[in-house]
Every structure is written in C-alpha cells, then in structure tokens.
Amino acid sequence: MDQMQYRDGQLFCEQVNLDDLAARAGTPLYVYSRRTLIDHLDGLMQAFAAVDPLICYSIKSCGNLHILRLLAQRGAGMDVVSGGELYRAREAGVDGGRIVYAGVGKTDAEIRMALEAGIGWFNIESEAEFENIAAIARQMRRQASAALRVNPDVDARTHAKTTTGKKETKFGVDLERAHRFFERYGKDAHLHLSALHMHIGSPIYTVEPYVEAVEKALQLIADLKATGVAITALDLGGGFGADYEERQTPPYAAYADKLVPLLKPFVAQGGRLILEPGRTIVANAGVLLTRVQYIKMGGAKKFVIVDSGMNHLIRPTLYDSFHFIWPTRVTPMHQPKTRHRAMHQQGLEKCDVVGPICETGDYFARDRALPPVARGDLLAVFTAGAYGMVMASNYNAQPRPAEVLVDGAQATIIRPRETYDDLVAPERHAQPL
Ligand code: LLP
C-alpha cells in the first residue's frame, strides 16, 4: 500500500521520522514517499506488461515537478487537462509525443501550445471542439492525432461529483454518435482521428465497470473496422482506486487478469493501450502533517483544532470522503493495526478534527475515534497525496503547505512553504490597461 509505517509508536515515511521532519520543516506539510510512487507505477506497468501500455500519469492528481520528473524517468507519459498542466509536463522534460490532452474546454491558446509541443493525442470531447482544433492545426500547418472520447454509459458507482461515464455527464459523446463522428471527421488531413478515449469515473473500487466499458469499446472498434475505420489506440482513462482504508482497492493484478485477455487481440493487431492513472499512483504516497492547536469541548462534542483544513485538503468536505487520521506518536497500545474507519481500540475518544478556516464545512473528520491528543501533537492525514495539494487554496489568506519528498533516509523540500509575501506580492503594483 505505502511506506508510511509505525515503529515503536512513531510514524515513519520510509526511514524518516515524521515528528523530526515536522520539527525541521514546519506544519502543515505534505510528505511523499518516492518508493511508494515508484512501486505503484512499476506495479501497474508489470501487471499490464503483456499489453505494453503507455501509462500517462494524470497530472491533475498531484503536479509537483519533482514527482512528474521522477515518474517520467521511470517511463510514464502524462495526461494533461490544461495549458498549465502541459507547461508542467514540458518543464518536467516529458516528451510531447507521450502526452495526452483531455478536457471539455480547451482554449485556442492552449490548443496552439499543444500543437507546438507535438503532443501524442488530443482527447476530443465534442464536434465543435474537433472542428476548432482541426482549423487551428490547418492554420499552423501542423498534423496531430486525436482520440474521440466516448461515453460508454457505465455506472462506476462512485461519488456523484466524480462519476463521468454515465450518459448525463458533460464528458465525451455517446457510443451511437461515435459512428457519425468518424464518418464526418475521420478523414481530416490535419487532425487524424484514429483513437478512442474514455474515463468512467474516479475512484472506482471494482473491476467490472472497466470490463463493461472495454467490451463496449472493443465492440465499437470492431464496428468501425467494418466500415473501414482503423482505431490505432485505446485510452482507458484513470480512476483506479486507492486505499483510503486498508485493502479497499483490488490489486493491479485483479484489473489486469480481467482486462488483459480482452485487450490482447487489439494490441496484437498493432493497437496501443493507454492508461491515465493518477490517484492509484500518488494517493497513498502522500500524508498531510498537521499540528494540534487547541482542544475545545463543545456542547456534546470534542473538537481537535489543527493548523490545516479545507484550504489544504478539501476532499472531506467536498466529497464526504474518508481519510484515516492518527497521531504520529502514540503509545504501543494505540499503534494502529489497520487503517480502517471501524478500527477498535481501548481508550479512543470521539472528536471532530477541524481547521482554522471560517466555514462550518472546514473539517477533516467528524465523530472520529482517536487516541487522546493534546495541544502540540502532530496528526497525519493519510492517503492525501492525490487531489490534496493540487486542490489547495489560499482561502483566509493561509499560505499553502510545503511539500517534501522522502527517499530512504533523505528528505528534500520540493516546494517551499508559501510566505505572506507570496500572497500579496502579485497585488503590490496595479497596472493601467
Ligand atoms: N483521466 C481523466 C480524463 C480524468 O478526468 C481523470 C480524473 C483521470 C484520468 C485521473 O483519475 P484518477 O486515476 O486520479 O482517479 N478531485 C476528485 C477526483 C477528480 C477526478 C477527475 N478526473 C477527488 O479528489 O476525488
């Protein structure tokens, strides 16, 4: 799962004692394990080795340049959804040809930038978008490849805000419309429409929705072939779960056991398989460290008030998502045996873990059983590597946390803590237009 482990009641990331680290680097602090990132990427590659996928890491899940560089060096391409993410990918040295670009609202400036970078595939979301990208490519005398994002109408049984593969979401075109799409645009001289893309939701904890989606995609590929259209790449998107609770996610082999046999014939005929994982690579690789500021007894509740909140990790309040939270230093009796919401131990106390932000929704956990904690204690919010720092804001003029990458016994600051000056500097000078 990851390299965040308790030893004699003390939490370590790889070989680094997290209390020592927080004393040096301050809190709140995002800490990532290099080993975990690599294990996940390698594990996914190995599980799917028989169909040799191009794994395009989804930058939106955690976009720190050092993490992108690390993954790119291990063979990952990148999935981007904006000019900003493309800029990050290029800055990290990712080859344009290994970049896929998705998103329903690509602007002309972003499209030009992507054409100049020679990206591998534009993932096309609508007729209007195809026409616009093709027109810009023509003006720029560039050639590019495109994948049509099809909506397989599969229920991935995930949170309403992160489901994407059902018919009524804004993403992709229905399978029935795909044929007309290829008829109409399949012969464009500048934008070669030769691939299919889908992404059915996130996070997904079962293999079945993928099987269903792949079966539909392969059927569409066969039907298109019968009409003379050759599909050369199939991008299955991301969405693979992460262990917010222990053993919540099927192992990579479970996905591969079901999907590889289905995909093998397509790959054997020269088809390219692309995956766009984000969360499964980076979620468990990261923890958010936060320090207890105050304990407050409310009417019927105990509040643990910490120095980070929805401004730094918005998932609990936005999606009602569960993150395991535990003190980084505990007595042997309170060393967690498993990270699970139903973990039972003697001497736990129910409390709300809340932040400093002036919003009722500013919480990490409600009615959570924790060992006794006091002012000054350090808490770890687990599985915070994905959609943590990337969704952080400066609300209430709170600087964003520093980020640290741990490699064995070595910890490196990969993004310094923001300062108050960082917050106000862009506003110091007004510029007449
Ligand atoms: N590809 C596409 C087209 C996507 O839209 C996404 C995620 C991914 C790949 C990567 O999905 P992953 O492997 O990371 O699950 N902020 C939410 C998640 C939003 C996901 C959006 N799309 C959260 O914190 O749960």
Side-chain angles (χ1 to χ4, degrees):
M1 175 165 76
D2 56 49
Q3 297 279 333
M4 311 291 173
Q5 267 138 19
Y6 283 85
R7 283 182 227 146
D8 299 326
Q10 171 65 54
L11 183 60
F12 283 77
C13 172
E14 303 193 15
Q15 308 308 321
V16 171
N17 174 320
L18 290 181
D19 280 76
D20 293 350
L21 181 67
R24 279 187 287 147
T27 56
L29 188 68
Y30 273 102
V31 183
Y32 307 96
S33 153
R34 179 178 185 276
R35 184 75 258 156
T36 307
L37 290 163
I38 289 176
D39 284 350
H40 289 169
L41 179 63
D42 288 0
L44 197 55
M45 279 182 175
Q46 277 158 21
F48 282 88
V51 282
D52 191 24
L54 171 60
I55 297 196
C56 290
Y57 169 70
S58 198
I59 292 187
K60 68 173 82 64
S61 62
C62 182
N64 187 291
L65 285 185
H66 298 268
I67 290 179
L68 303 188
R69 260 188 221 120
L70 172 70
L71 296 173
Q73 279 160 9
R74 301 289 292 196
M78 299 285 151
D79 154 38
V80 306
V81 290
S82 68
E85 287 190 354
L86 177 56
Y87 193 83
R88 279 188 176 275
R90 300 295 281 162
E91 188 77 20
V94 181
D95 178 42
R98 297 169 74 78
I99 295 174
V100 294
Y101 182 9
V104 294
K106 304 174 187 81
T107 66
D108 292 3
E110 289 176 316
I111 293 165
R112 273 188 226 107
M113 187 178 163
L115 286 166
E116 264 153 27
I119 64 156
W121 292 268
F122 283 93
N123 290 343
I124 303 292
E125 301 266 2
S126 67
E127 286 84 353
E129 187 198 41
F130 185 94
E131 289 178 14
N132 190 39
I133 299 176
I136 296 174
R138 197 174 320 122
Q139 278 163 17
M140 289 174 64
R141 299 201 173 78
R142 294 266 181 170
Q143 311 266 328
S145 294
L148 176 62
R149 180 165 182 175
V150 289
N151 190 328
D153 196 25
V154 166
D155 185 0
R157 291 181 287 277
T158 185
H159 191 277
K161 284 192 179 144
T162 54
T163 190
T164 48
K166 291 282 291 167
K167 259 189 172 171
E168 55 272 23
T169 73
K170 69 178 175 184
F171 298 104
V173 304
D174 300 345
L175 288 171
E176 306 85 71
R177 240 161 86 193
H179 280 281
R180 269 181 284 138
F181 210 107
F182 276 91
E183 262 167 41
R184 201 156 153 202
Y185 302 115
K187 300 211 161 46
D188 192 278
H190 291 270
L191 192 54
H192 307 297
L193 188 61
S194 55
L196 291 181
H197 172 241
M198 44 199 209
H199 170 77
I200 53 180
S202 162
I204 301 169
Y205 290 105
T206 51
V207 182
E208 288 69 34
Y210 287 96
V211 171
E212 211 184 309
V214 164
E215 281 170 346
K216 287 186 177 182
L218 292 173
Q219 184 59 52
L220 176 59
I221 290 173
D223 293 349
L224 285 168
K225 194 173 178 188
T227 66
V229 176
I231 295 297
T232 56
L234 173 61
D235 181 343
L236 296 185
F240 309 98
D243 286 331
Y244 291 93
E245 295 181 79
E246 210 144 323
R247 280 188 282 281
Q248 197 177 0
T249 321
Y252 293 144
Y255 291 101
D257 284 353
K258 289 270 165 48
L259 296 177
V260 165
L262 291 176
L263 292 163
K264 252 192 174 162
F266 171 70
V267 172
Q269 286 163 31
R272 188 87 215 249
L273 174 69
I274 302 169
L275 301 175
E276 300 174 346
R279 187 191 314 266
T280 185
I281 306 279
V282 70
N284 282 100
V287 290
L288 173 60
L289 298 180
T290 181
R291 200 163 297 278
V292 177
Q293 303 301 302
Y294 300 103
I295 307 291
K296 173 175 173 175
M297 301 309 294
K301 278 205 166 191
K302 176 178 169 184
F303 292 98
V304 174
I305 303 168
V306 295
D307 65 359
S308 181
M310 63 185 287
N311 49 327
H312 297 153
L313 179 68
I314 201 171
R315 304 192 69 258
T317 193
L318 191 57
Y319 312 118
D320 303 313
S321 52
F322 174 89
H323 284 261
F324 187 80
I325 301 176
W326 209 251
T328 53
R329 192 178 277 166
V330 286
T331 58
M333 156 183 156
H334 282 131
Q335 190 151 311
K337 305 245 168 343
T338 157
R339 291 186 217 149
H340 201 275
R341 70 182 81 198
M343 190 182 63
H344 292 297
Q345 280 185 350
Q346 296 285 315
L348 302 186
E349 294 169 27
K350 278 226 166 133
C351 50
D352 283 15
V353 181
V354 303
I357 300 299
C358 297
E359 297 260 355
T360 310
D362 179 29
Y363 58 84
F364 284 149
R366 287 193 289 191
D367 295 323
R368 184 69 62 84
L370 287 185
V373 289
R375 175 174 166 81
D377 285 356
L378 191 64
L379 299 185
V381 183
F382 289 81
T383 323
Y387 306 105
M389 184 64 174
V390 280
M391 294 178 84
S393 78
N394 292 121
Y395 188 37
N396 281 197
Q398 295 271 11
R400 281 179 292 173
E403 293 181 289
V404 166
L405 184 61
V406 166
D407 178 11
Q410 177 67 48
T412 307
I413 302 242
I414 55 172
R415 182 185 166 98
R417 180 176 310 287
E418 284 177 346
T419 63
Y420 291 141
D421 199 59
D422 290 334
L423 301 186
V424 299
E427 297 162 31
R428 268 214 185 93
H429 304 289
Q431 282 190 353
L433 271 176

